[in-house]
Amino acid sequence: MTPYSNDDAEIPNLNQLDATRPRHSTGYRVSHRVRTVIACVIVALLCCAGTATAATLLDLDSTIQDRAVDMLAQDGDSASSQIIDPNAGQSIEFVVLGQDTREGDGNAAIGGSADDTADLHNADTTMVVQVAADRSWINLVSIPRDSIVDVPSCETSNGTIPAQYDVMFNSIFPNAYSVGGDLASAASCTVSAINSLTGLDIQNFIVVDFQGLSSMIDALGGVDICIPVDTEDAYTGLSLTRGLHHLDGTTATQYARMRHGTGTDGTDIMRTTRQQYLIKQLLSEAMSKNLFTQTSQLYQLAKSALQSLNISRGLANTTTLAGLAMSLADFDMTHLYAQTVPVQEWALDTNRRVWTSDAETLWAKMREGKPITIADDTADSSTTDDGTGDTGTSDGADASTGTDGTDGTGDSGATDTTPQVDPTTGLITLEDGTLIDPDTGGIVDPENGSITDATTGEYIGIADRYLNVTVCAVTAQE
């Protein structure tokens, strides 16, 4: 399979879709770095709401504005500072970039410090986030750093970078930083590439570093993580026994960035699934606490998170963040759909990956504003009109059997043998005992809860509910 790219080599700005011109992201002028997951982002949004006094709001607003970022125009288009209105009934999209930086004592303490990493400007974690227009679901898609892609030309603060072919995705960020000399250039080119590859039109992004994630988790009081196997990682210094652990910020951050040692296979793709799991656990932790009535703790959490983030100006507005947070206050965690972009080995280098055709299916759903779950496909197919006024049946249903358990004539016939989702684990168990994730259709490993693509065998997620209630015997929250 060839890398994700445009078939028309004459177009300087590449786009996977058949568009005549690429969709752009805007650029951002920032000074901080990012490292790992989107957790800080959504939790920060949730926890900005509820601040009790005008003084508190002004203090938080000052923090936001001090770290707000400007946008760099792409391809001659003028840059705009579109402010997101959470009440507009429209979906919200943004990119979370996680930079591997050692700048500052906190980052050096977590990531390690050496001469060859002093000026490190990598973004090894990239996630695309989409919040539904009605705030009923959230899509979160991880892009593997080793993906081989074709990317468009982009504007930096110090000139234009030409279109590139067959490059690793995570090379976009440091290359743009090297040319432009700032994080604005690095982030702008990365988001521009994502828009070109996916057909989305993302206008905002958020950045956080090692220390930022750690501080935010500590402000929350730590996070519960289920460790499926005894874990030792000499690279990060992580040492955890099998079972449930309440991790502090430093340890949880090491868990998110771990790629070596026991419990891993050394790949970035498996690491993305742990990051997705950490996000869900962080959100569950935040929502299990009545932070909206605990002004002091809420303030400390929001302040800690916001001080660690660089937010594009379209999001850097206290009222906007507070409004969005309030609209997500009663969010159902089962409607957070997290998945890694479907990939397979690259024919030219088995240590690299290329996106499969299923990646386009994933992005198409997001372009259409739909949740990235195959359950949505089944629902759509079960109500299709065949032109006669009757609706068809879902792909997994027997057309000869009525939905009410009859044989179609009104008489009782064969019972529906379609596997059902277990309300506790959230999984489907086939007759042979195979566990299936109903959102992705992937196969779940009963030992560690990891979800792999049924076709390629590559990691795409972690079955968090299954992992928690079986491996670690955590009582499910009502």
Side-chain angles (χ1 to χ4, degrees):
M1 174 173 288
T2 58
Y4 228 60
S5 65
N6 189 327
D7 292 332
D8 188 350
E10 298 300 319
I11 301 178
N13 263 4
L14 311 173
N15 196 300
Q16 173 62 18
L17 307 178
D18 293 328
T20 57
R21 59 194 297 273
R23 298 174 184 265
H24 313 301
S25 75
T26 47
Y28 312 89
R29 194 170 306 282
V30 288
S31 60
H32 237 124
R33 323 290 167 244
V34 171
R35 163 66 191 107
T36 180
V37 294
I38 184 179
C40 283
V41 177
I42 298 179
V43 172
L45 297 180
L46 285 169
C47 296
C48 279
T51 46
T53 67
T56 300
L57 280 173
L58 288 173
D59 190 18
L60 290 179
D61 186 66
S62 176
T63 299
I64 292 172
Q65 296 306 321
D66 285 346
R67 305 184 63 79
V69 294
D70 294 328
M71 301 183 292
L72 302 179
Q74 295 293 314
D75 299 330
D77 290 350
S78 61
S80 64
S81 294
Q82 177 185 1
I83 302 299
I84 294 175
D85 179 4
N87 299 315
Q90 298 181 0
S91 63
I92 296 174
E93 294 86 24
F94 55 91
V95 173
V96 176
L97 298 167
Q99 190 189 20
D100 185 352
T101 181
R102 305 301 193 272
E103 293 186 359
D105 294 339
N107 288 316
I110 296 173
S113 180
D115 292 340
D116 60 347
T117 63
D119 298 319
L120 195 66
H121 294 292
N122 291 334
D124 287 342
T125 298
T126 303
M127 293 184 176
V128 179
V129 184
Q130 182 179 52
V131 183
D134 63 2
R135 309 303 184 248
S136 63
W137 50 260
I138 296 174
N139 288 332
L140 187 156
V141 180
S142 300
I143 298 179
R145 67 173 189 170
D146 292 344
S147 300
I148 299 298
V149 296
D150 294 344
V151 298
S153 62
C154 70
E155 300 301 322
T156 75
S157 298
N158 193 33
T160 302
I161 297 178
Q164 302 171 75
Y165 301 84
D166 292 355
V167 297
M168 280 177 50
F169 180 83
N170 77 326
S171 70
I172 303 169
F173 190 96
N175 287 348
Y177 198 108
S178 177
V179 173
D182 54 25
L183 195 55
S185 300
S188 297
C189 289
T190 303
V191 178
S192 179
I194 291 172
N195 282 338
S196 179
L197 291 164
T198 67
L200 295 168
D201 188 18
I202 302 171
Q203 297 295 317
N204 289 283
F205 85 102
I206 303 178
V207 180
V208 65
D209 58 18
F210 290 147
Q211 185 177 7
L213 177 60
S214 177
S215 297
M216 190 278 298
I217 294 173
D218 283 337
L220 188 62
V223 60
D224 288 335
I225 295 293
C226 178
I227 305 299
V229 298
D230 291 345
T231 300
E232 297 286 342
D233 178 18
Y235 185 80
T236 62
L238 195 65
S239 178
L240 296 169
T241 58
R242 183 181 188 275
L244 185 67
H245 292 263
H246 191 73
L247 305 182
D248 62 15
T250 297
T251 309
T253 301
Q254 299 290 34
Y255 167 84
R257 62 184 296 265
M258 178 180 66
R259 191 162 56 92
H260 305 282
T262 57
T264 71
D265 66 351
T267 67
D268 173 68
I269 296 177
M270 187 178 187
R271 177 168 59 180
T272 65
T273 66
R274 288 196 304 278
Q275 294 170 354
Q276 294 163 16
Y277 173 53
L278 176 59
I279 290 167
K280 292 184 177 182
Q281 293 299 101
L282 276 171
L283 275 174
S284 295
E285 188 77 29
M287 299 184 74
S288 69
K289 298 182 178 181
N290 196 13
L291 293 180
F292 295 97
T293 62
Q294 299 177 20
T295 305
S296 177
Q297 185 178 4
L298 171 65
Y299 171 77
Q300 292 301 325
L301 176 56
K303 186 77 172 179
S304 175
L306 291 172
Q307 285 178 333
S308 306
L309 304 176
N310 287 286
I311 306 176
S312 57
R313 292 197 184 278
L315 283 172
N317 178 278
T318 305
T319 303
T320 296
L321 292 177
L324 177 58
M326 290 302 293
S327 69
L328 293 171
D330 297 320
F331 181 71
D332 183 348
M333 284 297 298
T334 63
H335 294 163
L336 172 56
Y337 304 108
Q339 182 178 345
T340 299
V341 174
V343 296
Q344 66 184 36
E345 289 184 354
W346 188 29
L348 299 182
D349 185 347
T350 57
N351 291 320
R352 301 290 178 257
R353 301 292 185 269
V354 290
W355 299 2
T356 70
S357 59
D358 288 336
E360 170 54 22
T361 301
L362 194 71
W363 300 125
K365 286 187 176 182
M366 294 183 70
R367 291 195 300 269
E368 295 167 6
K370 295 180 178 180
I372 53 171
T373 168
I374 61 174
D376 184 62
D377 298 337
T378 302
D380 288 345
S381 63
S382 65
T383 57
T384 55
D385 194 327
D386 61 7
T388 64
D390 297 325
T391 57
T393 58
S394 63
D395 294 338
D398 184 348
S400 64
T401 303
T403 58
D404 59 357
T406 69
D407 61 7
T409 64
D411 296 327
S412 179
T415 58
D416 184 5
T417 59
T418 303
Q420 300 298 309
V421 176
D422 186 305
T424 302
T425 65
L427 302 182
I428 294 172
T429 303
L430 301 183
E431 291 184 359
D432 63 359
T434 301
L435 298 175
I436 301 296
D437 172 48
D439 289 335
T440 63
I443 299 173
V444 178
D445 186 329
E447 298 299 321
N448 59 26
S450 62
I451 307 171
T452 54
D453 188 288
T455 302
T456 65
E458 297 281 0
Y459 291 103
I460 54 177
I462 283 182
D464 57 298
R465 292 167 62 190
Y466 170 84
L467 184 63
N468 289 342
V469 302
T470 58
V471 176
C472 287
V474 178
T475 302
Q477 296 180 357
E478 296 298 333

